Amino acid sequence: MKFDSIIIGGGIAGYTAGLRCLEAGLKTAIISNGQSALHFSSGSIDLLSHTPTGKAIRNPAAIFNKFTHEFPTHPYSKVGKETVFESVQWYKHLLTNAGIPLLQQDNGGDNHLRITPLGTLKSTWLSQPYVQQLPLRLSEHDIKRIVVVQIDDFRDFNAKMVTDNLVQIPEFEGVEITHANVAIAGFSGLKRNACELRSIDIARILTNDSEIKALADKLLTVATINDVVILPAITGNGLGLETLNKLHALTNLTFHEVPTMPPSMLGIRLEETMIDLFIKGGGMLLKGDQVTRGDIVKDSSNNNELSLKRIYTRNLESMPLSAEHFIFASGSFFNKGLIGHHDKLQEPVFDLDMNSFKQRSTWFNPEFFSADSQPFLSLGIKTNHTFNPMLKGKTLNNLFCAGSNLGGYDPVAEGSGSGVAISTAYHAVNLLLQHSHNSHSQNITSDSLA
């Protein structure tokens, strides 16, 4: 099977690259091993919350040039300011038009705070509609009362823990913070023990209008329209937010959704929307498959460069897939896109060169919850300025890396994971198109001379 472009990996970087390729008119395939990290995601888009040195960032655009000057090896420095912000705006419009509005503060692009499942606060850039956007200057909030809702028998969310942590926040002094239990009637008809239910199971129950009405009535007994109601994300899976919209219409309550223990409904919304857009756009999705190896040859025009000709997958071992260009968005340690051995870090598909430190003892901080980030999170594939990886020191000129398999940044400490995934994938497609155009022009010139 031959394609114009093949994307290896089905996370936010992989689907971003796939959708951009389709938009450019390329015949495109995505190979996805299965569940991506989006199933563990907050569903918000983090752009840049902190510098690698730990300094909090209020407005990413305002400090971007200074940031790239100070951290020249960061992926954002390679992508550039114009492309980074063009890509996230493109992604925002894409998802919003597909039924998942992504919203930001109305103050010139500032980050905002969201309440997490632990009752702490985290800075982010874009959030879904039912995530309350608190100002970074938290003292400027206008919250009078917070009600944290516990669903009876639902074990993946602890309202009391959230409440106990929220009351410790100094800026919430004077805010009444309480939690309340609410039962979902549909649990009574289940054959399984309700305590075994995940958020996605409850979401299926709440596709029934009578169940939504029953839940709305119970919520009105514990909260008023003047409250912020923290609700575990148990509604609105699939391609829209219909269930939450119905619940809001019935109650007029101000909801704040927080993701639960995996699977995260907020992250699944993003993934399912991107999958739907990709398939409807004519892309081929090979889900539940895994790339096992590839045929790599010397480039005919440059002895210091290599080319990836075709790849083989677990399910299609006897039927190789070939393409003019490939984008490698295999993920990091969580997705087994990177593997840490006792003596080295490895990229397991092509055995690409890594930027890992020589001694394993330098990969980690002995204090797990240290204020400093864990060094291994910034390890990844070594690439050149155009995100082409290296294999034994030679550049793979038609393979472009994107997302969390890249080295040079810490997605957790910086709050930059989604932004780097989107912008590097978007940029990789731009580079792919440029490379393809240059190759085509050279071929035309060669033919003319012949």
Side-chain angles (χ1 to χ4, degrees):
M1 290 190 286
K2 184 172 177 57
F3 299 87
D4 297 319
S5 60
I6 292 177
I7 291 92
I8 302 168
I12 192 167
Y15 286 116
T16 294
L19 291 167
R20 275 286 289 158
C21 284
L22 291 179
E23 192 175 68
L26 302 180
K27 182 182 178 184
T28 304
I30 291 177
I31 302 166
S32 170
N33 192 26
Q35 281 190 1
S36 72
L38 283 165
H39 286 243
F40 297 76
S41 163
S42 68
S44 291
I45 302 299
D46 298 338
L47 183 59
L48 189 62
S49 300
H50 293 83
T51 67
T53 56
K55 183 179 179 181
I57 293 172
R58 179 175 181 177
N59 188 308
I63 58 86
F64 198 89
N65 291 335
K66 181 180 178 182
F67 178 88
T68 55
H69 177 75
E70 189 173 352
F71 306 103
T73 61
H74 195 282
Y76 281 156
S77 300
K78 294 182 179 182
V79 174
K81 181 177 181 179
E82 181 179 350
T83 303
V84 167
F85 286 91
E86 178 184 304
S87 67
V88 291
Q89 288 299 329
W90 170 86
Y91 186 84
K92 174 185 174 182
H93 292 141
L94 185 78
L95 270 290
T96 298
N97 291 337
I100 308 292
L102 294 172
L103 311 172
Q104 66 185 113
Q105 292 269 292
D106 296 325
N107 51 7
D110 280 4
N111 285 316
H112 60 266
L113 297 173
R114 62 177 179 84
I115 300 172
T116 73
L118 298 177
T120 57
L121 300 174
K122 189 175 185 301
S123 176
T124 190
W125 203 62
L126 295 173
S127 288
Q128 296 183 33
Y130 292 99
V131 174
Q132 289 301 305
Q133 299 188 11
L134 302 176
L136 284 182
R137 290 195 177 100
L138 191 57
S139 58
E140 297 175 0
H141 76 80
D142 56 0
I143 299 173
K144 300 295 186 291
R145 183 171 183 256
I146 297 174
V147 178
V148 187
V149 174
Q150 177 71 54
I151 305 297
D152 285 349
D153 295 323
F154 180 50
R155 299 293 182 87
D156 289 345
F157 180 75
N158 190 318
K160 187 177 186 307
M161 177 180 66
V162 174
T163 303
D164 289 345
N165 285 329
L166 287 176
V167 298
Q168 304 299 320
I169 298 173
E171 290 85 351
F172 284 159
E173 184 180 358
V175 177
E176 182 184 353
I177 303 175
T178 185
H179 65 275
N181 284 54
V182 169
I184 291 181
F187 282 10
S188 60
L190 295 173
K191 294 181 181 179
R192 290 167 57 191
N193 187 326
C195 295
E196 299 174 356
L197 292 182
R198 304 278 80 85
S199 54
I200 199 164
D201 299 311
I202 301 174
R204 293 191 186 102
I205 293 172
L206 291 174
T207 57
N208 186 311
D209 284 346
S210 63
E211 293 285 355
I212 298 172
K213 178 65 167 62
L215 178 58
D217 291 341
K218 289 171 183 175
L219 289 172
L220 287 172
T221 66
V222 299
T224 72
I225 60 173
N226 298 316
D227 303 333
V228 171
V229 181
I230 296 180
L231 192 69
I234 54 171
T235 62
N237 66 313
L239 303 179
L241 298 166
E242 294 89 350
T243 305
L244 267 173
N245 290 337
K246 289 177 182 178
L247 200 59
H248 176 68
L250 290 167
T251 62
N252 201 30
L253 293 175
T254 299
F255 293 118
H256 175 81
E257 267 194 302
V258 296
T260 65
M261 292 285 286
S264 163
M265 301 306 301
L266 290 155
I268 289 173
R269 284 179 204 153
L270 297 180
E271 182 180 78
E272 291 191 354
T273 301
M274 289 187 289
I275 290 174
D276 185 67
L277 288 170
F278 182 74
I279 293 173
K280 287 180 177 177
M284 176 177 284
L285 177 59
L286 302 176
K287 196 168 185 180
D289 205 352
Q290 182 178 14
V291 177
T292 56
R293 60 190 175 94
D295 290 337
I296 298 173
V297 300
K298 288 183 179 179
D299 187 85
S300 57
S301 61
N302 190 332
N303 288 332
N304 292 320
E305 293 188 354
L306 305 170
S307 293
L308 177 61
K309 291 299 182 183
R310 62 190 65 84
I311 57 174
Y312 300 83
T313 74
R314 183 182 58 221
N315 297 342
L316 300 172
E317 184 63 29
S318 62
M319 188 184 297
L321 309 176
S322 61
E324 185 177 352
H325 297 96
F326 299 81
I327 293 179
F328 199 38
S330 56
S332 185
F333 299 98
F334 174 82
N335 307 91
K336 298 183 179 179
L338 302 175
I339 296 176
H341 299 285
H342 72 281
D343 59 343
K344 67 176 182 177
L345 180 69
Q346 183 186 24
E347 182 283 300
V349 179
F350 306 112
D351 200 21
L352 300 172
D353 296 349
M354 298 284 103
N355 72 341
S356 59
F357 309 122
K358 292 183 178 180
Q359 294 187 356
R360 197 178 195 281
S361 61
T362 63
W363 295 6
F364 62 92
N365 190 318
E367 295 182 25
F368 186 77
F369 291 108
S370 169
D372 297 326
S373 64
Q374 292 290 346
F376 74 86
L377 290 170
S378 65
L379 303 181
I381 297 171
K382 184 185 295 184
T383 64
N384 62 10
H385 66 284
T386 54
F387 293 108
N388 299 116
M390 314 289 180
L391 179 61
K392 297 180 180 178
K394 292 188 176 183
T395 302
L396 266 162
N397 60 21
N398 68 333
L399 179 64
F400 301 87
C401 293
S404 58
N405 60 17
L406 292 168
Y409 79 111
D410 184 333
V412 177
E414 297 169 9
S416 62
S418 304
V420 168
I422 292 167
S423 62
T424 55
Y426 187 95
H427 187 51
V429 178
N430 289 348
L431 295 169
L432 177 157
L433 293 170
Q434 182 181 346
H435 187 273
S436 180
H437 175 74
N438 291 340
S439 298
H440 183 64
S441 299
Q442 289 173 4
N443 290 337
I444 292 176
T445 301
S446 298
D447 292 342
S448 299
L449 291 173

